[in-house]
Amino acid sequence: MTDASALPGQPRGGAIDGTGTARAVCVLAPNPSPMTLDGTNTWIVAEPDSPLAVVVDPGPLDEGHLRQVIDTVERSGRRVGLTLLTHGHWDHAEGAARFAELTGTAVRALDPALRLGDEGLAAGDVVTTGGLELRVVPTPGHTSDSLSFHLPADGAVLTGDTVLGRGTTMVAHPDGRLSEYLDSLRRLRSLTVDDGVRTVLPGHGPVLDDAQGAVEYYLAHRASRLAQVETAVEAGHRTPGEVVAHVYADVDRSLWPAAELSVRAQLEYLEEHGLV
């Protein structure tokens, strides 16, 4: 992740937790860090008149946070009907088993190891709990199991770590692959062009009110970084560490380990395409 203060996408001001759209409310987990930004966004999604809510990414194993999510659902006059995971990183999924225990719900995810219950998630699936419509969009690249959830009624998409509310995300090599990540960004761009998606509900950071602008920025950023890595290799910087020091010199050093994962993914991509 980088701290790109001028990220297009119109980051929404004010508190990050609270209303994201008519159907989505964020409860911010208390796990801020350079990698998680303000913390993990746990999303509660429900139809306005439904007694059931879907919770996306319960977050870390923090009892206070998990109970706050449940309390927020119950204060709205609902109960949790289902838990979904965008991917398996600890800051999104570590608390899922405990949350399922507290709520008596199934956990659906792409990775079978993360599921609790009989059903997983796959491309083209539509979640309809409580009358809600959430369409499963495969967005691998940050991790191999990354998913996004299209919320057509609100013109929104929940992106996990694929698109953040501030800065950019890493490609977590070797599980994450740049070629897949670029395809995922193009898939999200098609949602903004063809399916009326205007709003990004990210896994970290503020809501973005210009989804197309955000995705276009991500694509341009990746192209720029890839060109910088290629130039660095041509200049004699051979190891991932050397490339990071050269290309990411303007980035906080605490983020260099994450940057190195992305560089490894970029080097793999360049090798696959015969560019280095």
Side-chain angles (χ1 to χ4, degrees):
M1 299 174 189
T2 63
D3 188 13
S5 59
L7 171 66
Q10 299 174 18
R12 191 176 295 175
I16 289 176
D17 53 346
T19 301
T21 66
R23 291 167 177 79
V25 171
C26 175
V27 180
L28 181 64
N31 61 329
S33 74
M35 288 297 296
T36 60
L37 303 181
D38 309 88
T40 300
N41 295 339
T42 295
W43 288 101
I44 300 167
V45 193
E47 281 297 309
D49 299 323
S50 174
L52 297 177
V54 174
V55 170
V56 179
D57 289 351
L61 184 54
D62 181 292
E63 193 81 6
H65 173 66
L66 300 179
R67 292 190 180 276
Q68 184 182 1
V69 173
I70 295 169
D71 289 346
T72 302
V73 172
E74 292 179 346
R75 283 197 301 269
S76 72
R78 301 182 175 93
R79 62 181 176 85
V80 179
L82 180 65
T83 303
L84 303 177
L85 297 177
T86 61
H87 65 297
H89 279 168
W90 72 270
D91 54 314
H92 295 258
E94 183 187 43
R98 175 58 176 156
F99 190 73
E101 181 182 356
L102 291 170
T103 60
T105 60
V107 176
R108 297 181 64 183
L110 179 61
D111 185 348
L114 299 171
R115 300 172 190 169
L116 292 172
D118 296 330
E119 288 189 281
L121 291 171
D125 284 352
V126 180
V127 175
T128 57
T129 301
L132 183 72
E133 182 180 329
L134 279 175
R135 301 175 183 174
V136 178
V137 182
T139 48
H142 170 67
T143 61
S144 61
D145 68 331
S146 288
L147 298 172
S148 295
F149 299 104
H150 178 200
L151 178 57
D154 286 350
V157 61
L158 294 92
T159 54
D161 282 357
T162 299
V163 174
L164 305 177
R166 186 173 66 251
T168 56
T169 197
M170 68 173 178
V171 178
H173 184 271
D175 181 50
R177 301 187 70 245
L178 182 58
S179 57
E180 292 182 342
Y181 186 64
L182 294 174
D183 286 343
S184 294
L185 291 177
R186 297 182 189 109
R187 193 171 296 118
L188 290 174
R189 180 173 58 186
S190 73
L191 291 180
T192 72
V193 173
D194 301 326
D195 295 281
V197 168
R198 303 174 303 278
T199 304
V200 172
L201 305 175
H204 302 278
V207 170
L208 297 175
D209 289 323
D210 175 13
Q212 185 173 353
V215 175
E216 292 287 0
Y217 171 83
Y218 267 58
L219 284 164
H221 172 80
R222 280 295 161 200
S224 175
R225 284 297 194 206
L226 192 61
Q228 289 175 321
V229 169
E230 184 178 3
T231 299
V233 172
E234 291 172 349
H237 301 284
R238 298 301 182 188
T239 70
E242 290 173 351
V243 173
V244 168
H246 180 76
V247 173
Y248 291 81
D250 60 336
V251 174
D252 189 320
R253 283 177 176 260
S254 68
L255 298 175
W256 279 18
E260 182 168 329
L261 296 181
S262 287
V263 164
R264 289 179 182 275
Q266 290 162 332
L267 291 171
E268 178 185 70
Y269 180 91
L270 291 170
E271 290 172 2
E272 289 173 349
H273 290 77
L275 298 173
V276 294

